[in-house]
Amino acid sequence: AQSLAGLAGLAVPLGLGLSLVPVAGPFAAGALATAVAAYSLTWELLDPYFEKAGLNFEAQEKVVWSNRVALTCFGVPFSLALAVP
């Protein structure tokens, strides 16, 4: 699931399945949705710098996937802030 589409394709059915579990399921599904949103938002925030460095999609994917934990943690506050109406 290195690509963003692969990650979303895995996260959507997993999130739907988790949301059916009583009590803890909606919280786990919300955490999963926040993590996927943070990962994709961080990639979008880094896109201009990747373009300036001349990295193609495969190279971007390699950089982002090798730093996925740090980038997801960086994007979580922004994803939560964007979720506020």
Side-chain angles (χ1 to χ4, degrees), residues 42-55 60:
T42 305
W43 196 338
E44 277 296 317
L45 290 173
L46 290 174
D47 191 48
Y49 302 103
F50 288 147
E51 286 286 323
K52 191 169 248 189
L55 295 175
Q60 290 180 23

Side-chain angles (χ1 to χ4, degrees), residues 3 5 7 13 25 31 35 39-41 47-48 54 56 58-59 72-73 75 84:
S3 72
L7 181 65
Y39 179 79
S40 61
L41 176 64
D47 191 48
N56 61 4
E58 288 80 19
T72 301
C73 291
V84 175

Side-chain angles (χ1 to χ4, degrees), residues 52-66:
K52 191 169 248 189
L55 295 175
N56 61 4
F57 180 76
E58 288 80 19
Q60 290 180 23
E61 195 172 39
K62 188 175 180 182
V63 169
V64 170
W65 187 254
S66 64

Side-chain angles (χ1 to χ4, degrees), residues 5-33:
L7 181 65
L10 180 69
V12 169
L14 186 61
L16 287 173
L18 280 174
S19 66
L20 297 175
V21 175
V23 183
F27 295 109
L32 178 66

